[in-house]
mmCIF file of all heavy atoms in Angstrom:
data_model
loop_
_atom_site.group_PDB
_atom_site.id
_atom_site.type_symbol
_atom_site.label_atom_id
_atom_site.label_comp_id
_atom_site.label_asym_id
_atom_site.label_seq_id
_atom_site.Cartn_x
_atom_site.Cartn_y
_atom_site.Cartn_z
ATOM 1 N N ALA A 40 0.869 -1.214 -0.026
ATOM 2 C CA ALA A 40 0.009 0.010 -0.029
ATOM 3 C C ALA A 40 0.914 1.254 0.021
ATOM 4 O O ALA A 40 1.909 1.362 0.720
ATOM 5 C CB ALA A 40 -0.908 0.004 1.239
ATOM 6 N N LYS A 41 0.508 2.152 -0.890
ATOM 7 C CA LYS A 41 1.295 3.384 -0.939
ATOM 8 C C LYS A 41 0.444 4.584 -1.418
ATOM 9 O O LYS A 41 -0.611 4.351 -2.014
ATOM 10 C CB LYS A 41 2.529 3.232 -1.814
ATOM 11 C CG LYS A 41 2.238 2.847 -3.262
ATOM 12 C CD LYS A 41 3.445 2.600 -4.021
ATOM 13 C CE LYS A 41 3.047 2.100 -5.436
ATOM 14 N NZ LYS A 41 4.258 1.830 -6.242
ATOM 15 N N TRP A 42 0.878 5.733 -1.086
ATOM 16 C CA TRP A 42 0.237 6.940 -1.541
ATOM 17 C C TRP A 42 0.357 7.106 -3.055
ATOM 18 O O TRP A 42 1.400 6.704 -3.554
ATOM 19 C CB TRP A 42 0.760 8.146 -0.812
ATOM 20 C CG TRP A 42 0.507 8.209 0.596
ATOM 21 C CD1 TRP A 42 1.184 7.489 1.597
ATOM 22 C CD2 TRP A 42 -0.492 8.945 1.353
ATOM 23 N NE1 TRP A 42 0.642 7.786 2.861
ATOM 24 C CE2 TRP A 42 -0.402 8.680 2.665
ATOM 25 C CE3 TRP A 42 -1.527 9.791 0.849
ATOM 26 C CZ2 TRP A 42 -1.265 9.232 3.583
ATOM 27 C CZ3 TRP A 42 -2.318 10.357 1.812
ATOM 28 C CH2 TRP A 42 -2.223 10.101 3.162
ATOM 29 N N PRO A 43 -0.548 7.720 -3.687
ATOM 30 C CA PRO A 43 -0.318 8.032 -5.144
ATOM 31 C C PRO A 43 0.848 9.047 -5.210
ATOM 32 O O PRO A 43 0.936 9.954 -4.419
ATOM 33 C CB PRO A 43 -1.657 8.609 -5.613
ATOM 34 C CG PRO A 43 -2.460 8.952 -4.397
ATOM 35 C CD PRO A 43 -1.923 8.157 -3.266
ATOM 36 N N ASP A 44 1.499 8.979 -6.305
ATOM 37 C CA ASP A 44 2.616 9.847 -6.559
ATOM 38 C C ASP A 44 2.132 11.292 -6.845
ATOM 39 O O ASP A 44 1.313 11.492 -7.745
ATOM 40 C CB ASP A 44 3.547 9.406 -7.728
ATOM 41 C CG ASP A 44 4.731 10.290 -7.933
ATOM 42 O OD1 ASP A 44 5.438 10.641 -6.939
ATOM 43 O OD2 ASP A 44 4.949 10.639 -9.102
ATOM 44 N N ARG A 45 2.496 12.261 -6.058
ATOM 45 C CA ARG A 45 1.991 13.644 -6.199
ATOM 46 C C ARG A 45 2.292 14.210 -7.561
ATOM 47 O O ARG A 45 1.427 14.819 -8.214
ATOM 48 C CB ARG A 45 2.544 14.486 -5.122
ATOM 49 C CG ARG A 45 2.112 15.905 -5.147
ATOM 50 C CD ARG A 45 0.602 16.047 -4.906
ATOM 51 N NE ARG A 45 0.205 17.388 -4.937
ATOM 52 C CZ ARG A 45 -0.611 17.915 -3.988
ATOM 53 N NH1 ARG A 45 -1.089 17.221 -3.020
ATOM 54 N NH2 ARG A 45 -0.974 19.163 -4.078
ATOM 55 N N ALA A 46 3.516 14.001 -8.041
ATOM 56 C CA ALA A 46 3.949 14.565 -9.292
ATOM 57 C C ALA A 46 3.120 13.930 -10.442
ATOM 58 O O ALA A 46 2.678 14.619 -11.410
ATOM 59 C CB ALA A 46 5.434 14.291 -9.557
ATOM 60 N N GLU A 47 2.830 12.669 -10.337
ATOM 61 C CA GLU A 47 2.039 11.971 -11.381
ATOM 62 C C GLU A 47 0.599 12.508 -11.321
ATOM 63 O O GLU A 47 -0.067 12.708 -12.367
ATOM 64 C CB GLU A 47 2.047 10.428 -11.049
ATOM 65 C CG GLU A 47 1.314 9.593 -12.065
ATOM 66 C CD GLU A 47 1.409 8.150 -11.753
ATOM 67 O OE1 GLU A 47 2.471 7.633 -11.435
ATOM 68 O OE2 GLU A 47 0.340 7.472 -11.797
ATOM 69 N N MET A 48 0.054 12.668 -10.123
ATOM 70 C CA MET A 48 -1.363 13.166 -10.014
ATOM 71 C C MET A 48 -1.392 14.612 -10.532
ATOM 72 O O MET A 48 -2.452 14.961 -11.195
ATOM 73 C CB MET A 48 -1.807 13.114 -8.521
ATOM 74 C CG MET A 48 -1.982 11.710 -7.947
ATOM 75 S SD MET A 48 -3.339 10.844 -8.732
ATOM 76 C CE MET A 48 -4.762 11.485 -7.825
ATOM 77 N N ASP A 49 -0.379 15.399 -10.328
ATOM 78 C CA ASP A 49 -0.406 16.763 -10.814
ATOM 79 C C ASP A 49 -0.470 16.852 -12.345
ATOM 80 O O ASP A 49 -0.941 17.897 -12.862
ATOM 81 C CB ASP A 49 0.826 17.560 -10.305
ATOM 82 C CG ASP A 49 0.660 17.915 -8.823
ATOM 83 O OD1 ASP A 49 -0.474 17.818 -8.302
ATOM 84 O OD2 ASP A 49 1.723 18.226 -8.201
ATOM 85 N N LYS A 50 0.075 15.821 -12.987
ATOM 86 C CA LYS A 50 0.099 15.809 -14.498
ATOM 87 C C LYS A 50 -1.320 15.550 -15.099
ATOM 88 O O LYS A 50 -1.559 15.757 -16.310
ATOM 89 C CB LYS A 50 1.094 14.805 -14.972
ATOM 90 C CG LYS A 50 2.491 15.148 -14.698
ATOM 91 C CD LYS A 50 3.443 14.045 -15.167
ATOM 92 C CE LYS A 50 4.838 14.289 -14.745
ATOM 93 N NZ LYS A 50 5.725 13.141 -15.156
ATOM 94 N N LEU A 51 -2.181 14.890 -14.250
ATOM 95 C CA LEU A 51 -3.532 14.542 -14.720
ATOM 96 C C LEU A 51 -4.457 15.656 -14.719
ATOM 97 O O LEU A 51 -4.370 16.650 -13.976
ATOM 98 C CB LEU A 51 -4.102 13.437 -13.850
ATOM 99 C CG LEU A 51 -3.222 12.177 -13.642
ATOM 100 C CD1 LEU A 51 -3.947 11.234 -12.630
ATOM 101 C CD2 LEU A 51 -3.201 11.455 -15.001
ATOM 102 N N SER A 52 -5.444 15.646 -15.660
ATOM 103 C CA SER A 52 -6.533 16.561 -15.737
ATOM 104 C C SER A 52 -7.430 16.297 -14.560
ATOM 105 O O SER A 52 -7.411 15.251 -13.965
ATOM 106 C CB SER A 52 -7.255 16.518 -17.028
ATOM 107 O OG SER A 52 -7.973 15.335 -17.088
ATOM 108 N N THR A 53 -8.268 17.257 -14.249
ATOM 109 C CA THR A 53 -9.246 17.058 -13.164
ATOM 110 C C THR A 53 -10.118 15.736 -13.347
ATOM 111 O O THR A 53 -10.212 15.026 -12.372
ATOM 112 C CB THR A 53 -10.111 18.332 -12.961
ATOM 113 O OG1 THR A 53 -9.277 19.404 -12.603
ATOM 114 C CG2 THR A 53 -11.150 18.083 -11.816
ATOM 115 N N PRO A 54 -10.656 15.563 -14.482
ATOM 116 C CA PRO A 54 -11.428 14.311 -14.587
ATOM 117 C C PRO A 54 -10.601 13.049 -14.437
ATOM 118 O O PRO A 54 -11.017 12.027 -13.845
ATOM 119 C CB PRO A 54 -12.001 14.370 -16.013
ATOM 120 C CG PRO A 54 -12.102 15.837 -16.355
ATOM 121 C CD PRO A 54 -10.921 16.397 -15.660
ATOM 122 N N GLU A 55 -9.323 13.105 -14.922
ATOM 123 C CA GLU A 55 -8.476 11.952 -14.767
ATOM 124 C C GLU A 55 -8.135 11.694 -13.311
ATOM 125 O O GLU A 55 -8.111 10.581 -12.793
ATOM 126 C CB GLU A 55 -7.168 12.149 -15.590
ATOM 127 C CG GLU A 55 -7.422 12.086 -17.092
ATOM 128 C CD GLU A 55 -6.210 12.486 -17.920
ATOM 129 O OE1 GLU A 55 -5.417 13.327 -17.395
ATOM 130 O OE2 GLU A 55 -6.067 12.032 -19.041
ATOM 131 N N ARG A 56 -7.878 12.835 -12.554
ATOM 132 C CA ARG A 56 -7.654 12.680 -11.129
ATOM 133 C C ARG A 56 -8.852 12.112 -10.389
ATOM 134 O O ARG A 56 -8.691 11.332 -9.475
ATOM 135 C CB ARG A 56 -7.284 14.059 -10.471
ATOM 136 C CG ARG A 56 -5.799 14.438 -10.608
ATOM 137 C CD ARG A 56 -5.446 15.566 -9.683
ATOM 138 N NE ARG A 56 -6.248 16.792 -9.886
ATOM 139 C CZ ARG A 56 -5.970 17.728 -10.765
ATOM 140 N NH1 ARG A 56 -4.927 17.626 -11.514
ATOM 141 N NH2 ARG A 56 -6.730 18.815 -10.833
ATOM 142 N N LEU A 57 -10.013 12.621 -10.795
ATOM 143 C CA LEU A 57 -11.239 12.039 -10.155
ATOM 144 C C LEU A 57 -11.380 10.532 -10.443
ATOM 145 O O LEU A 57 -11.742 9.858 -9.514
ATOM 146 C CB LEU A 57 -12.458 12.840 -10.683
ATOM 147 C CG LEU A 57 -12.600 14.270 -10.198
ATOM 148 C CD1 LEU A 57 -13.683 14.940 -10.941
ATOM 149 C CD2 LEU A 57 -12.731 14.382 -8.710
ATOM 150 N N ASP A 58 -11.034 10.128 -11.660
ATOM 151 C CA ASP A 58 -11.067 8.714 -12.007
ATOM 152 C C ASP A 58 -10.080 7.953 -11.148
ATOM 153 O O ASP A 58 -10.377 6.840 -10.653
ATOM 154 C CB ASP A 58 -10.838 8.499 -13.507
ATOM 155 C CG ASP A 58 -11.955 8.992 -14.386
ATOM 156 O OD1 ASP A 58 -13.076 9.207 -13.857
ATOM 157 O OD2 ASP A 58 -11.718 9.225 -15.617
ATOM 158 N N LYS A 59 -8.868 8.440 -11.000
ATOM 159 C CA LYS A 59 -7.898 7.867 -10.192
ATOM 160 C C LYS A 59 -8.315 7.762 -8.762
ATOM 161 O O LYS A 59 -8.101 6.617 -8.087
ATOM 162 C CB LYS A 59 -6.531 8.616 -10.352
ATOM 163 C CG LYS A 59 -5.373 8.059 -9.551
ATOM 164 C CD LYS A 59 -4.873 6.769 -10.191
ATOM 165 C CE LYS A 59 -3.653 6.331 -9.497
ATOM 166 N NZ LYS A 59 -3.206 5.005 -9.949
ATOM 167 N N MET A 60 -8.822 8.803 -8.214
ATOM 168 C CA MET A 60 -9.314 8.767 -6.813
ATOM 169 C C MET A 60 -10.446 7.803 -6.635
ATOM 170 O O MET A 60 -10.554 7.076 -5.644
ATOM 171 C CB MET A 60 -9.720 10.190 -6.343
ATOM 172 C CG MET A 60 -8.485 11.069 -6.271
ATOM 173 S SD MET A 60 -8.729 12.794 -5.609
ATOM 174 C CE MET A 60 -10.231 13.328 -6.258
ATOM 175 N N ARG A 61 -11.343 7.711 -7.645
ATOM 176 C CA ARG A 61 -12.419 6.733 -7.590
ATOM 177 C C ARG A 61 -11.903 5.292 -7.554
ATOM 178 O O ARG A 61 -12.321 4.450 -6.841
ATOM 179 C CB ARG A 61 -13.336 6.886 -8.743
ATOM 180 C CG ARG A 61 -14.547 5.825 -8.766
ATOM 181 C CD ARG A 61 -15.441 6.017 -9.977
ATOM 182 N NE ARG A 61 -15.996 7.285 -10.066
ATOM 183 C CZ ARG A 61 -17.149 7.601 -9.527
ATOM 184 N NH1 ARG A 61 -17.819 6.682 -8.783
ATOM 185 N NH2 ARG A 61 -17.670 8.788 -9.681
ATOM 186 N N GLU A 62 -10.833 5.071 -8.375
ATOM 187 C CA GLU A 62 -10.181 3.779 -8.414
ATOM 188 C C GLU A 62 -9.557 3.405 -7.048
ATOM 189 O O GLU A 62 -9.764 2.263 -6.572
ATOM 190 C CB GLU A 62 -9.112 3.790 -9.514
ATOM 191 C CG GLU A 62 -8.326 2.459 -9.622
ATOM 192 C CD GLU A 62 -7.181 2.599 -10.514
ATOM 193 O OE1 GLU A 62 -7.273 3.347 -11.610
ATOM 194 O OE2 GLU A 62 -6.115 2.013 -10.268
ATOM 195 N N LEU A 63 -8.856 4.309 -6.499
ATOM 196 C CA LEU A 63 -8.310 4.126 -5.152
ATOM 197 C C LEU A 63 -9.279 3.872 -4.102
ATOM 198 O O LEU A 63 -9.182 3.043 -3.215
ATOM 199 C CB LEU A 63 -7.354 5.285 -4.720
ATOM 200 C CG LEU A 63 -6.150 5.513 -5.549
ATOM 201 C CD1 LEU A 63 -5.473 6.789 -5.340
ATOM 202 C CD2 LEU A 63 -5.176 4.328 -5.514
ATOM 203 N N ARG A 64 -10.355 4.624 -4.190
ATOM 204 C CA ARG A 64 -11.530 4.463 -3.188
ATOM 205 C C ARG A 64 -12.119 3.074 -3.314
ATOM 206 O O ARG A 64 -12.428 2.431 -2.337
ATOM 207 C CB ARG A 64 -12.566 5.570 -3.438
ATOM 208 C CG ARG A 64 -13.607 5.650 -2.342
ATOM 209 C CD ARG A 64 -14.450 6.907 -2.451
ATOM 210 N NE ARG A 64 -15.067 6.998 -3.770
ATOM 211 C CZ ARG A 64 -14.775 8.015 -4.648
ATOM 212 N NH1 ARG A 64 -13.949 8.909 -4.380
ATOM 213 N NH2 ARG A 64 -15.441 8.041 -5.834
ATOM 214 N N LYS A 65 -12.280 2.597 -4.592
ATOM 215 C CA LYS A 65 -12.862 1.226 -4.796
ATOM 216 C C LYS A 65 -11.894 0.187 -4.232
ATOM 217 O O LYS A 65 -12.352 -0.749 -3.591
ATOM 218 C CB LYS A 65 -13.041 1.044 -6.342
ATOM 219 C CG LYS A 65 -13.551 -0.422 -6.635
ATOM 220 C CD LYS A 65 -14.400 -0.499 -7.792
ATOM 221 C CE LYS A 65 -14.878 -1.838 -8.163
ATOM 222 N NZ LYS A 65 -15.014 -2.779 -7.053
ATOM 223 N N GLN A 66 -10.614 0.365 -4.368
ATOM 224 C CA GLN A 66 -9.635 -0.533 -3.753
ATOM 225 C C GLN A 66 -9.743 -0.616 -2.288
ATOM 226 O O GLN A 66 -9.751 -1.659 -1.662
ATOM 227 C CB GLN A 66 -8.204 -0.235 -4.200
ATOM 228 C CG GLN A 66 -7.930 -0.428 -5.670
ATOM 229 C CD GLN A 66 -6.538 0.142 -6.061
ATOM 230 O OE1 GLN A 66 -5.763 0.554 -5.232
ATOM 231 N NE2 GLN A 66 -6.272 0.078 -7.351
ATOM 232 N N ARG A 67 -9.898 0.562 -1.676
ATOM 233 C CA ARG A 67 -10.095 0.567 -0.162
ATOM 234 C C ARG A 67 -11.415 -0.075 0.226
ATOM 235 O O ARG A 67 -11.471 -0.760 1.183
ATOM 236 C CB ARG A 67 -9.996 1.990 0.315
ATOM 237 C CG ARG A 67 -8.587 2.602 0.338
ATOM 238 C CD ARG A 67 -8.582 3.909 1.066
ATOM 239 N NE ARG A 67 -9.549 4.964 0.690
ATOM 240 C CZ ARG A 67 -9.379 5.828 -0.307
ATOM 241 N NH1 ARG A 67 -8.238 5.945 -0.904
ATOM 242 N NH2 ARG A 67 -10.320 6.709 -0.658
ATOM 243 N N ASP A 68 -12.460 0.210 -0.549
ATOM 244 C CA ASP A 68 -13.771 -0.405 -0.215
ATOM 245 C C ASP A 68 -13.704 -1.922 -0.384
ATOM 246 O O ASP A 68 -14.289 -2.638 0.444
ATOM 247 C CB ASP A 68 -14.822 0.212 -1.114
ATOM 248 C CG ASP A 68 -15.229 1.655 -0.792
ATOM 249 O OD1 ASP A 68 -14.769 2.064 0.329
ATOM 250 O OD2 ASP A 68 -15.912 2.260 -1.625
ATOM 251 N N ASP A 69 -13.004 -2.367 -1.399
ATOM 252 C CA ASP A 69 -12.894 -3.834 -1.604
ATOM 253 C C ASP A 69 -12.141 -4.473 -0.456
ATOM 254 O O ASP A 69 -12.501 -5.563 0.046
ATOM 255 C CB ASP A 69 -12.199 -4.125 -2.913
ATOM 256 C CG ASP A 69 -13.047 -3.854 -4.167
ATOM 257 O OD1 ASP A 69 -14.264 -3.609 -3.999
ATOM 258 O OD2 ASP A 69 -12.461 -3.741 -5.310
ATOM 259 N N ALA A 70 -11.077 -3.808 0.036
ATOM 260 C CA ALA A 70 -10.287 -4.301 1.174
ATOM 261 C C ALA A 70 -11.194 -4.384 2.357
ATOM 262 O O ALA A 70 -11.181 -5.297 3.153
ATOM 263 C CB ALA A 70 -9.038 -3.451 1.331
ATOM 264 N N MET A 71 -11.974 -3.313 2.573
ATOM 265 C CA MET A 71 -12.898 -3.265 3.735
ATOM 266 C C MET A 71 -13.904 -4.358 3.709
ATOM 267 O O MET A 71 -14.230 -4.954 4.698
ATOM 268 C CB MET A 71 -13.506 -1.898 3.862
ATOM 269 C CG MET A 71 -14.277 -1.696 5.136
ATOM 270 S SD MET A 71 -14.752 0.024 5.282
ATOM 271 C CE MET A 71 -15.693 -0.033 6.852
ATOM 272 N N ASP A 72 -14.459 -4.621 2.483
ATOM 273 C CA ASP A 72 -15.401 -5.715 2.321
ATOM 274 C C ASP A 72 -14.780 -7.014 2.668
ATOM 275 O O ASP A 72 -15.394 -7.896 3.397
ATOM 276 C CB ASP A 72 -15.975 -5.760 0.911
ATOM 277 C CG ASP A 72 -16.856 -4.569 0.599
ATOM 278 O OD1 ASP A 72 -17.374 -3.879 1.543
ATOM 279 O OD2 ASP A 72 -17.115 -4.314 -0.688
ATOM 280 N N ARG A 73 -13.508 -7.303 2.245
ATOM 281 C CA ARG A 73 -12.811 -8.533 2.577
ATOM 282 C C ARG A 73 -12.639 -8.640 4.115
ATOM 283 O O ARG A 73 -12.786 -9.683 4.680
ATOM 284 C CB ARG A 73 -11.524 -8.605 1.905
ATOM 285 C CG ARG A 73 -11.611 -8.891 0.408
ATOM 286 C CD ARG A 73 -10.285 -9.272 -0.275
ATOM 287 N NE ARG A 73 -9.319 -8.126 -0.112
ATOM 288 C CZ ARG A 73 -9.183 -7.172 -0.952
ATOM 289 N NH1 ARG A 73 -10.052 -7.018 -1.955
ATOM 290 N NH2 ARG A 73 -8.285 -6.219 -0.772
ATOM 291 N N ARG A 74 -12.258 -7.549 4.737
ATOM 292 C CA ARG A 74 -12.068 -7.563 6.152
ATOM 293 C C ARG A 74 -13.309 -7.828 6.945
ATOM 294 O O ARG A 74 -13.384 -8.521 7.865
ATOM 295 C CB ARG A 74 -11.415 -6.222 6.665
ATOM 296 C CG ARG A 74 -9.968 -6.172 6.200
ATOM 297 C CD ARG A 74 -9.395 -4.781 6.678
ATOM 298 N NE ARG A 74 -7.978 -4.721 6.273
ATOM 299 C CZ ARG A 74 -7.444 -3.682 5.707
ATOM 300 N NH1 ARG A 74 -8.142 -2.627 5.477
ATOM 301 N NH2 ARG A 74 -6.142 -3.721 5.432
ATOM 302 N N GLU A 75 -14.436 -7.187 6.402
ATOM 303 C CA GLU A 75 -15.769 -7.420 7.104
ATOM 304 C C GLU A 75 -16.136 -8.883 6.942
ATOM 305 O O GLU A 75 -16.590 -9.452 7.945
ATOM 306 C CB GLU A 75 -16.820 -6.589 6.387
ATOM 307 C CG GLU A 75 -18.143 -6.727 6.970
ATOM 308 C CD GLU A 75 -19.274 -5.945 6.211
ATOM 309 O OE1 GLU A 75 -18.928 -4.995 5.543
ATOM 310 O OE2 GLU A 75 -20.366 -6.329 6.355
ATOM 311 N N ALA A 76 -15.942 -9.446 5.823
ATOM 312 C CA ALA A 76 -16.334 -10.867 5.565
ATOM 313 C C ALA A 76 -15.479 -11.743 6.487
ATOM 314 O O ALA A 76 -16.004 -12.692 7.091
ATOM 315 C CB ALA A 76 -16.157 -11.252 4.152
ATOM 316 N N ALA A 77 -14.236 -11.433 6.636
ATOM 317 C CA ALA A 77 -13.344 -12.264 7.487
ATOM 318 C C ALA A 77 -13.729 -12.123 8.953
ATOM 319 O O ALA A 77 -13.735 -13.136 9.644
ATOM 320 C CB ALA A 77 -11.847 -11.852 7.288
ATOM 321 N N THR A 78 -14.089 -10.971 9.338
ATOM 322 C CA THR A 78 -14.587 -10.739 10.733
ATOM 323 C C THR A 78 -15.803 -11.527 11.027
ATOM 324 O O THR A 78 -15.974 -12.211 12.051
ATOM 325 C CB THR A 78 -14.793 -9.198 11.005
ATOM 326 O OG1 THR A 78 -13.501 -8.528 10.759
ATOM 327 C CG2 THR A 78 -15.166 -8.964 12.464
ATOM 328 N N ARG A 79 -16.754 -11.389 10.185
ATOM 329 C CA ARG A 79 -18.106 -12.168 10.297
ATOM 330 C C ARG A 79 -17.848 -13.629 10.324
ATOM 331 O O ARG A 79 -18.412 -14.363 11.245
ATOM 332 C CB ARG A 79 -18.995 -11.826 9.131
ATOM 333 C CG ARG A 79 -19.605 -10.374 9.269
ATOM 334 C CD ARG A 79 -20.477 -10.106 8.115
ATOM 335 N NE ARG A 79 -20.932 -8.777 8.074
ATOM 336 C CZ ARG A 79 -21.943 -8.205 8.763
ATOM 337 N NH1 ARG A 79 -22.664 -9.033 9.565
ATOM 338 N NH2 ARG A 79 -22.248 -6.938 8.720
ATOM 339 N N THR A 80 -16.956 -14.141 9.490
ATOM 340 C CA THR A 80 -16.661 -15.618 9.464
ATOM 341 C C THR A 80 -16.053 -16.043 10.727
ATOM 342 O O THR A 80 -16.436 -17.077 11.335
ATOM 343 C CB THR A 80 -15.788 -15.914 8.229
ATOM 344 O OG1 THR A 80 -16.441 -15.564 7.087
ATOM 345 C CG2 THR A 80 -15.472 -17.397 8.207
#
C-alpha cells in the first residue's frame, strides 16, 4: 500500500484525477469488504 505519486497526480487533468481517486476508493472499499467478511466468518 502506498500513496499516489503527487507529481504523477499533478500531471492529470481534473477528470483523470477524479477517476484515479475513484479507483483508489474502490480498492479501499474492496479491502474493507474482505475484512468485514473475514470478521463475520
Side-chain angles (χ1 to χ4, degrees):
K41 58 183 175 182
W42 291 82
D44 181 49
R45 180 64 178 226
E47 184 180 311
M48 292 293 280
D49 286 344
K50 292 177 186 176
L51 301 175
S52 67
T53 298
E55 290 170 332
R56 273 196 306 272
L57 291 171
D58 290 341
K59 180 71 171 175
M60 292 183 324
R61 179 183 300 273
E62 177 188 325
L63 294 171
R64 190 170 56 246
K65 176 148 179 30
Q66 290 172 4
R67 286 191 308 270
D68 288 347
D69 290 345
M71 187 169 178
D72 289 345
R73 286 190 300 275
R74 289 178 178 135
E75 178 185 340
T78 300
R79 289 178 186 275
T80 300

